[in-house]
Amino acid sequence: MAGRAVLLIPHRSENPDEAALPDDYRKILAIVRAADGPVQVRAAGEELGLEVAVRGKPESLRAKMTKLADRGWLHKRPDGRFTARR
């Protein structure tokens, strides 16, 4: 957009529209919501089929999950795990 910054991941509003999120972010959100409790990045990566055993591979997923937390879609706990916002 000419001269304007566009957020790929919009801030969550009172009426969140998940359709505004890119597909990979919607998948992450679905994994966290389906979990029984807080989700580690490694567990989400395994669910997505990433090579989580390889050092550094989960870092891009961690960045995406943190971005979702920064924008209000997820909650990042002090222990580094993520939960869904209610």
Side-chain angles (χ1 to χ4, degrees), residues 36-52:
D36 291 334
V39 176
Q40 292 180 328
V41 174
R42 176 176 291 262
E46 289 172 351
E47 188 76 24
L48 290 169
L50 299 177
E51 297 178 49
V52 294

Side-chain angles (χ1 to χ4, degrees), residues 57-69:
K57 284 286 186 179
E59 291 310 310
S60 62
L61 177 59
R62 183 182 320 281
K64 287 179 180 181
M65 292 176 80
T66 300
K67 189 175 288 187
L68 284 169

